[in-house]
Amino acid sequence: MAEIDIRKENHVGRITLNRPHALNAITFNMCYQIEKAIDEWLVDTSVALIMIDAIGNRAFCAGGDLSQMYQSGLKEDYSYGHDFWRMEYRLNAKVSQSTKPIVSFLNGYTMGGGVGLGCHGSHRIVDETSQIAMPECTIGLVPDVGGSYILSRNDGYLGEFLALTAKRLSPGDAIHCNFADFFVSSSRWNELKERLSKTGDINQIHQYNSPPPDATLTDELKSDINQLFGQPVKEIETIIRQESSPWHQEISNRMKKNSPLSMACVFKLMQMQRQVTNIQEALDREFRFTYRAAQYGDFIEGIRAQVIDKDYQPSWKHKSISEVPDADVTLMLAPLGKHSLVWE
């Protein structure tokens, strides 16, 4: 069975991810096929819009397929990872900058690479099952695929909070945090897809849009988030150790799962992303970290613990954020020179 179904349907170019057994994790080949299709449809006058969805009810896309990246990294061959991210990030930029509407149906889990594919389009739809998150720090990465760009556009220090806790965003939270635009009940998705296909009219979405469930990120909670995550990153660990509230304990438990190097770099990356003006600049800064992650960071160990062995007991390079030297952060986020992303 093909891992992806790409076809034209009336006025719509349709892309359907078809790896439900793997939560529709995106592969190198899938990235290549999607980019090729989008390039063709952008110049095809018979295509009015592009639609991306997925088979199965558990996930739109739970991330990138990391198994080959892990095996290559064990052999100290980092070229596969570099090539994968180059292609994936180029695809993320094309989705974001598409001159035709791109509609994504984000059911179930949308995480990591799924965010890069599904959350940069013009019309992003969630339903009652949707859960969106950026849990990259748990595998020794930082939020990438343009995810840090979206996070950095939130008010205050909400982006740092979401990156370090990998909090799963409910449908209401996803819209509030600019990972989605519309809430449409899953019972109406097939009807909406059919209407879009028959008419090619993107405005059909507005007839199906409903108020989303209330966001859990209340003003009071955001105030607490700003107070805590507005501190220097190395002080956050100290603060949460001194606090005994259930909220602080939950944050502590979530952060304990993360690579200290990744968390330290997230704070610097978020500062950088607030200064950029477009997604290509943002992806370039993410690529600085991911390019080095397997060789100098915790990425290989993170995949081992979370994906391969699943013992969830990673042995990170640093024991805590406070032990991460500033020089290590500078190294991971330094410009790549001749190895920088090329957009053609």
Side-chain angles (χ1 to χ4, degrees):
M1 184 180 296
E3 61 186 11
I4 189 169
D5 183 10
I6 297 176
R7 72 274 189 201
K8 283 175 59 176
E9 194 175 88
N10 297 317
H11 301 284
V12 175
R14 293 203 60 177
I15 298 167
T16 300
L17 310 184
N18 190 26
R19 301 184 72 217
H21 62 285
L23 299 181
N24 292 311
I26 192 167
T27 65
F28 187 98
N29 179 59
M30 291 166 72
C31 286
Y32 173 79
Q33 292 190 56
I34 294 169
E35 181 181 27
K36 183 174 181 289
I38 290 176
D39 285 343
E40 292 175 356
W41 290 335
L42 288 179
V43 296
D44 185 339
T45 56
S46 69
V47 173
L49 60 91
I50 297 167
M51 188 188 308
I52 309 176
D53 62 3
I55 297 295
N57 56 17
R58 294 180 62 199
F60 167 73
C61 174
D65 192 317
L66 304 174
S67 56
Q68 187 170 345
M69 213 175 292
Y70 174 75
Q71 295 300 331
S72 299
L74 286 180
K75 301 173 184 176
E76 298 186 355
D77 176 6
Y78 310 114
S79 59
Y80 174 80
H82 296 162
D83 291 343
F84 181 92
W85 280 312
R86 287 182 191 278
M87 177 176 291
E88 186 179 28
Y89 291 4
R90 188 172 64 237
L91 173 60
N92 302 152
K94 285 187 177 181
V95 170
S96 176
Q97 298 172 333
S98 172
T99 55
K100 292 185 178 181
I102 295 184
V103 187
S104 53
F105 288 83
L106 308 174
N107 63 299
Y109 296 122
T110 298
M111 300 181 181
V115 168
L117 179 62
C119 296
H120 293 304
S122 58
H123 296 72
R124 305 159 298 176
I125 299 173
V126 290
D127 69 4
E128 60 275 8
T129 72
S130 300
Q131 297 186 63
I132 299 178
M134 297 297 294
E136 283 78 7
C137 286
T138 62
I139 57 169
L141 286 181
V142 294
D144 67 329
V145 295
S148 69
Y149 184 62
I150 299 176
L151 290 173
S152 71
R153 265 50 193 170
N154 280 279
D155 293 335
Y157 296 93
L158 187 56
E160 283 86 344
F161 165 74
L162 295 175
L164 267 63
T165 63
K167 175 179 170 57
R168 295 177 182 177
L169 298 173
S170 67
D173 289 326
I175 293 173
H176 176 75
C177 295
N178 196 33
F179 283 89
D181 305 295
F182 303 97
F183 178 83
V184 178
S185 172
S186 59
S187 63
R188 306 191 72 192
W189 275 23
N190 287 337
E191 181 183 343
L192 172 56
K193 292 175 185 179
E194 185 176 346
R195 292 293 300 167
L196 290 171
S197 177
K198 286 183 176 180
T199 67
D201 178 12
I202 195 65
N203 293 314
Q204 293 290 323
I205 294 176
H206 296 282
Q207 299 181 28
Y208 292 80
N209 185 40
S210 301
D214 290 340
T216 65
L217 293 168
T218 62
D219 289 341
E220 181 180 359
L221 179 55
K222 286 189 288 185
S223 176
D224 292 339
I225 289 169
N226 286 334
Q227 183 175 354
L228 177 59
F229 287 85
Q231 304 298 320
V233 62
K234 293 187 178 183
E235 294 182 16
I236 292 176
E237 283 183 320
T238 302
I239 294 172
I240 60 178
R241 279 198 301 265
Q242 295 172 345
E243 298 288 344
S244 59
S245 75
W247 184 69
H248 285 91
Q249 187 60 52
E250 179 184 358
I251 291 174
S252 177
N253 291 338
R254 288 177 175 271
M255 288 176 58
K256 286 177 182 177
K257 300 176 182 179
N258 297 338
S259 157
L261 176 61
S262 294
M263 290 191 287
C265 288
V266 160
F267 268 67
K268 180 64 176 179
L269 177 62
M270 294 297 288
Q271 294 172 10
M272 297 166 65
Q273 299 297 46
R274 291 188 176 102
Q275 305 302 316
V276 304
T277 58
N278 60 68
I279 192 170
Q280 288 182 333
E281 292 180 19
L283 288 163
D284 178 78
R285 282 153 179 77
E286 292 173 350
F287 188 58
R288 297 176 185 181
F289 185 98
T290 54
Y291 184 90
R292 299 178 171 104
Q295 185 173 5
Y296 300 110
D298 286 315
F299 183 49
I300 299 302
E301 174 62 8
I303 299 178
R304 183 206 63 75
Q306 295 290 333
V307 180
I308 305 301
D309 296 339
K310 296 184 178 180
D311 61 14
Y312 309 109
Q313 298 293 324
S315 178
W316 303 125
K317 292 182 179 294
H318 309 86
K319 294 185 182 300
S320 66
I321 301 175
S322 60
E323 294 185 18
V324 178
D326 292 342
D328 287 8
V329 176
T330 299
L331 168 66
M332 297 300 291
L333 296 174
L336 289 168
K338 65 180 181 180
H339 299 298
S340 297
L341 287 175
V342 177
W343 298 106
E344 291 76 14

